[in-house]
Amino acid sequence: MEQRKNPRLEVDQAITVTILGGRAVGVGFPAVVRNASGVGLGLEMAEPVAPGTALKIEFEDLLLLGEVVYTRPLENSTLVGVRLRETLRGFAELARACQVYSAQPYSVEQS
């Protein structure tokens, strides 16, 4: 029987993950969101990431900050459990608003 406080949804979304501490600071890695809940994500990544590592997760117009809470080996990859800490969205809308109030055009760059 499922005993989680927050139900998980199965997902298959390609994303970019940036490690904010540890061996590869600032390098973006491809990953796939495999499941999501209101408080966390299950990411499939090529390499394990140590628990306690801070991550920046990006896709489309969304930026998430989280912390690795576990890693679990899969057949050819690793499942990385992430507890979400912050969610930021609306960067495209912010860029449009800045254009209205500035003579300099702004662009939203995605990594």
Side-chain angles (χ1 to χ4, degrees):
M1 184 166 103
E2 180 73 30
Q3 295 183 7
R4 298 182 184 279
K5 292 180 182 177
N6 297 288
R8 290 185 181 194
L9 302 172
E10 297 300 314
V11 182
D12 185 20
Q13 173 69 52
I15 59 169
T16 300
V17 174
T18 303
I19 295 174
L20 300 177
R23 60 182 163 78
V25 175
V27 177
F29 296 96
V32 177
V33 179
R34 291 297 179 202
N35 61 65
S37 74
V39 296
L41 299 173
L43 307 180
E44 185 174 345
M45 299 180 67
E47 300 290 330
V49 180
T53 301
L55 301 177
K56 176 175 73 170
I57 301 161
E58 300 173 87
F59 69 91
E60 297 177 1
D61 198 25
L62 188 63
L63 184 143
L64 307 167
L65 300 176
E67 178 183 343
V68 176
V69 292
Y70 70 85
T71 60
R72 185 174 306 137
L74 299 174
E75 190 171 322
N76 296 311
S77 59
T78 302
L79 184 65
V80 177
V82 178
R83 178 178 296 125
L84 297 176
R85 300 291 188 193
E86 297 292 334
T87 302
L88 305 169
R89 67 180 82 214
F91 293 108
E93 185 176 330
L94 177 61
R96 285 189 292 274
C98 288
Q99 285 178 328
V100 170
Y101 296 106
S102 173
Q104 295 292 328
Y106 285 82
S107 67
V108 176
E109 295 181 15
Q110 293 186 357
S111 37

